[in-house]
Amino acid sequence: MVGKVTTWPSHVPASRPACQSTIARETGYTFKEVGPAGQQYEFVGVDVDHTDKTVRPGLKLREKLRRDLLCISTDQVVFTDLQRLVGRCIHASAILRLPLVQNYYVFKHLRRLANQVSRGLLNDDDVISLPPCVARRLRAWVHQVSTNKLKA
């Protein structure tokens, strides 16, 4: 196809938005809008801060984690509350990119309890006594995911 050849400086607009809109018109592509620098917002339960280039679990998740932490202030906890707390910690750990292997003994104990529930030896609403090492690790995990930020 033979067409008119234009020189680069006269064809390309000087500013980036003008250049993007020209390219978009000619090619049919769209570009994602770039927000202002320093923008902070919450998206799908994740607080995103473009000023610091950090992400962390959203406010609601952090509040739920702190509230659930009060449930395990002693070593006694209801099985369903324990499941809920561990699930929220897993979600927050994924946001912060924390390795789950640090909490191996929490998972091991939870798996053993879930096995007892599935065999009918325990009920979902039974109060369970946590070993001190598991309770300590669980408290440390909740504190870690509710206070840290991930630097991008």
Side-chain angles (χ1 to χ4, degrees), residues 69-77 128 130 135 139:
L69 184 60
L70 296 175
C71 295
I72 60 164
S73 59
T74 63
D75 293 344
Q76 303 286 323
V77 66
I128 293 161
L130 293 175
R139 281 189 213 104

Side-chain angles (χ1 to χ4, degrees), residues 44-63:
V44 193
V46 178
D47 284 340
V48 180
D49 186 354
H50 289 283
T51 306
D52 297 338
K53 296 184 180 178
T54 58
V55 295
R56 70 181 192 174
L59 180 64
K60 287 173 82 174
L61 179 58
R62 289 193 316 266
E63 287 175 356

Side-chain angles (χ1 to χ4, degrees), residues 15-68:
S15 68
R16 180 176 172 219
C19 181
Q20 284 183 345
S21 63
T22 302
I23 293 170
R25 267 195 319 277
E26 291 178 1
T27 61
Y29 288 107
T30 59
F31 294 94
K32 186 189 307 184
E33 292 295 321
V34 178
Q39 188 176 11
Q40 299 174 0
Y41 56 89
E42 184 171 342
F43 180 71
V44 193
V46 178
D47 284 340
V48 180
D49 186 354
H50 289 283
T51 306
D52 297 338
K53 296 184 180 178
T54 58
V55 295
R56 70 181 192 174
L59 180 64
K60 287 173 82 174
L61 179 58
R62 289 193 316 266
E63 287 175 356
K64 289 177 183 178
L65 283 167
R66 287 187 194 113
R67 185 182 65 225
D68 289 345

